[in-house]
Amino acid sequence: ARKVFALAGNYEEHVRESRRVKEFVDLRRRRTPRVFMKPPSTTLRASGDPIQIPPCGRQIDWEVELAVVMGRPTKAVRREQALEHVLGYCLFNDVSERGFQIWEREESSEWDRFFDWLNGKWFDSFAPAGPYVVTKDEIPDPYSIDLDLSVNGTTMQHDNTGSMIFDIETVIEFLSAFVTLEPGDLIAMGTPAGVGMARGLFLKPGDQVVAEGTGLGRLANPVVAAG
């Protein structure tokens, strides 16, 4: 993949557990998709590859997601034609550092905290994907996929892609308005509730993380200490 995009806050219950909203609101009317990027050459890993925790890793979290794999160049496409540009789907684990800190600082502004959150997405090995790409003809309804993630055999996340706030067509229309999507680009569609941050649980060396999705196989990655 030349580009890896990922959505923040695309499942209502995950937004709730992250304390971003206190009561239900129609988030489709209140916001646009919140998209960030991960550097593919250093973050992408296959099933079986280790998630590496470096010495500066403090609070390493998991996020199972459905990833869309683009099949052809896409620019300024309307949502009605968006799925015609999709090759298929795979599992994605948006591994995240929740306590990012390289240097201490005397005070933190809102922007400082935003970049801490963003930089915590960029660690090497923090984007396991796979175990393979399932073509869209094999997934006739991408909104009926059950997503599950377990750590050491204990289920942490379980939801269905029908719970997404912004659907695939909307996100492709939004992104392609300002950036050309290329064949092989990944769009990770956000994670459901059940992340470790919400309950103070984080990954450590020796853990085994397994993500599964209906028709998408099993993405399994051990956690190791880097270096």
Side-chain angles (χ1 to χ4, degrees), residues 83-104:
L83 291 184
E84 298 173 12
H85 296 249
V86 171
L87 171 66
Y89 308 97
C90 68
L91 289 164
F92 189 90
N93 187 355
D94 176 20
V95 182
S96 306
E97 164 58 86
R98 307 293 193 188
F100 182 88
Q101 183 183 66
I102 303 300
W103 300 327
E104 292 187 11

Side-chain angles (χ1 to χ4, degrees), residues 18 22 28 50 69 86 101 128 160 191 193 199 209:
S18 302
K22 295 182 179 179
R28 294 177 187 86
V69 185
V86 171
Q101 183 183 66
N160 185 277
T191 197
R199 42 192 153 178
V209 184

Side-chain angles (χ1 to χ4, degrees), residues 2-3 6 12 21 52 67-68 88 112 123 127-128 151 174 190 194 202 207:
R2 294 184 180 183
K3 299 188 289 295
E12 181 194 337
V21 295
Q52 299 176 311
V68 177
D112 290 322
F123 284 45
V151 178
F174 176 79
F202 300 103
D207 287 345

Side-chain angles (χ1 to χ4, degrees), residues 47-108:
S47 186
D49 290 343
I51 296 168
Q52 299 176 311
I53 301 179
C56 61
R58 296 153 56 91
Q59 298 177 353
I60 312 301
D61 206 348
W62 54 82
E63 293 188 16
V64 63
E65 310 195 6
L66 170 70
V68 177
V69 185
M70 299 305 296
R72 64 191 203 191
T74 304
K75 180 67 175 179
V77 71
R78 298 294 296 273
R79 60 170 285 112
E80 292 78 11
Q81 287 78 46
L83 291 184
E84 298 173 12
H85 296 249
V86 171
L87 171 66
Y89 308 97
C90 68
L91 289 164
F92 189 90
N93 187 355
D94 176 20
V95 182
S96 306
E97 164 58 86
R98 307 293 193 188
F100 182 88
Q101 183 183 66
I102 303 300
W103 300 327
E104 292 187 11
R105 56 181 178 250
E106 293 184 0
E107 58 183 1
S108 296

Side-chain angles (χ1 to χ4, degrees), residues 6-202:
L7 267 71
N10 200 34
Y11 284 75
E12 181 194 337
E13 290 305 316
H14 177 52
V15 174
R16 288 181 188 273
E17 74 175 354
S18 302
R19 299 181 177 88
R20 295 195 187 102
V21 295
K22 295 182 179 179
E23 58 184 309
F24 175 75
V25 293
D26 187 348
L27 295 177
R28 294 177 187 86
R29 292 179 174 271
R30 295 289 185 92
R31 65 169 66 161
T32 53
R34 295 178 174 177
V35 185
F36 60 95
M37 298 181 73
K38 301 184 83 145
S41 63
T42 51
T43 61
L44 280 177
R45 294 294 185 270
S47 186
D49 290 343
I51 296 168
Q52 299 176 311
I53 301 179
C56 61
R58 296 153 56 91
Q59 298 177 353
I60 312 301
D61 206 348
W62 54 82
E63 293 188 16
V64 63
E65 310 195 6
L66 170 70
V68 177
V69 185
M70 299 305 296
R72 64 191 203 191
T74 304
K75 180 67 175 179
V77 71
R78 298 294 296 273
R79 60 170 285 112
E80 292 78 11
Q81 287 78 46
L83 291 184
E84 298 173 12
H85 296 249
V86 171
L87 171 66
Y89 308 97
C90 68
L91 289 164
F92 189 90
N93 187 355
D94 176 20
V95 182
S96 306
E97 164 58 86
R98 307 293 193 188
F100 182 88
Q101 183 183 66
I102 303 300
W103 300 327
E104 292 187 11
R105 56 181 178 250
E106 293 184 0
E107 58 183 1
S108 296
S109 70
E110 182 179 350
W111 279 109
D112 290 322
R113 289 186 289 271
F114 168 76
F115 279 103
D116 286 346
W117 172 87
L118 180 62
N119 296 158
K121 300 284 190 177
W122 294 352
F123 284 45
D124 293 352
S125 80
F126 273 24
Y132 38 69
V133 176
V134 180
T135 55
K136 68 180 178 183
D137 61 298
E138 299 181 77
I139 306 286
D141 182 7
Y143 304 111
S144 62
I145 298 171
D146 286 332
L147 294 176
D148 293 273
L149 183 138
S150 65
V151 178
N152 302 328
T154 299
T155 298
M156 298 296 182
Q157 291 181 280
H158 173 75
D159 206 337
N160 185 277
T161 52
S163 300
M164 290 188 293
I165 295 169
F166 293 105
D167 62 22
I168 296 164
E169 295 93 328
T170 298
V171 173
I172 292 176
E173 180 183 58
F174 176 79
L175 273 173
S176 71
F178 61 93
V179 62
T180 299
L181 302 175
E182 301 172 285
D185 284 354
L186 297 180
I187 306 172
M189 292 295 300
T191 197
V195 299
M197 174 184 63
R199 42 192 153 178
L201 298 176
F202 300 103

